[in-house]
Amino acid sequence: MDPNNGGFMNKDQVKGRTNTATGKIKEGVGKATGDKELEDKGTAEKVGGKVRSTFGDVKEDIKKSTR
């Protein structure tokens, strides 16, 4: 839930935050097991999730400012 949005997040915020969390897990497992490819995939997924989450945040800010 996003307290800045009346408690709800748009789909980009949800998907972005999910991808960020999944990426962090993959990155950690990759580091722990020495699997550089999994670590790199996790890092990429984490960064992509942050970008999508930020995009969702900006959409919400625009939505709020037009009300």
Side-chain angles (χ1 to χ4, degrees), residues 16-36:
R17 285 172 176 78
T18 301
N19 285 353
T20 300
T22 303
K24 283 182 182 179
I25 292 168
K26 287 180 182 178
E27 187 178 37
V29 170
K31 282 181 184 177
T33 60
D35 186 342
K36 183 68 175 155

Side-chain angles (χ1 to χ4, degrees), residues 4-65:
N4 299 324
N5 184 20
F8 299 100
M9 294 190 293
N10 65 41
K11 66 181 179 183
D12 291 307
Q13 290 170 313
V14 172
K15 187 69 174 169
R17 285 172 176 78
T18 301
N19 285 353
T20 300
T22 303
K24 283 182 182 179
I25 292 168
K26 287 180 182 178
E27 187 178 37
V29 170
K31 282 181 184 177
T33 60
D35 186 342
K36 183 68 175 155
E37 186 177 340
L38 182 60
E39 183 180 346
D40 290 345
K41 285 181 182 180
T43 301
E45 190 168 347
K46 183 175 73 172
V47 170
K50 286 181 181 182
V51 169
R52 187 162 184 179
S53 178
T54 301
F55 173 72
D57 293 342
V58 170
K59 277 177 44 177
E60 282 302 314
D61 290 344
I62 291 170
K63 189 186 232 182
K64 282 184 210 174
S65 69

